[in-house]
Amino acid sequence: MDSTSKVLLLAAVLAALVLAVAAALLVRLVRARRDLRRAGLPTGPRWVFWGAVLYFVLPFDVLPDPVYLDDIGVLLLALRTLHGAVGHEATPPVRRPGRFGIRRQHRADDYAP
């Protein structure tokens, strides 16, 4: 085996490993969203989830598809957004006195589930 074929084999193994990591993150993102929805917790803006899934699936990327590092970054940001949405829900809402007693003040990240 000459050095060129060794380099190509190493590149193929690394590309397969990075693809496996990206696919595992996609599965984790889908499971996290499903579990949060089943628990009745917020999942963050829908466009973040669907944007990350589409970015992973579609071949139009910032980096060519054999290099899935940008896809991994987008999936990690989507997972962070899901976890952040749960963290915001855990904090008590801000309440202000209103005309008819205390009412909830809407935050900028409120949305329909």
Side-chain angles (χ1 to χ4, degrees), residues 41-42 83-95 104-105 107 109-110:
L41 295 171
H83 292 296
V86 173
H88 284 300
E89 188 64 24
T91 60
V94 177
R95 300 197 179 267
R104 182 175 187 265
Q105 178 185 1
R107 296 184 307 223
D109 60 344
D110 286 347

Side-chain angles (χ1 to χ4, degrees), residues 64-95:
D65 257 345
V67 182
Y68 285 96
L69 297 177
D70 59 331
D71 297 72
I72 290 172
V74 169
L75 292 170
L76 285 173
L77 284 173
L79 272 170
R80 183 176 178 192
T81 302
L82 284 180
H83 292 296
V86 173
H88 284 300
E89 188 64 24
T91 60
V94 177
R95 300 197 179 267

Side-chain angles (χ1 to χ4, degrees), residues 9-32:
L9 179 64
L10 179 63
V13 169
L14 287 175
L17 181 64
V18 171
L19 175 62
V21 168
L25 281 173
L26 178 66
V27 168
R28 186 173 172 189
L29 176 67
V30 170
R31 285 183 180 165

Side-chain angles (χ1 to χ4, degrees), residues 43-46 109-113:
T43 58
R46 289 183 199 142
D109 60 344
D110 286 347
Y111 58 91

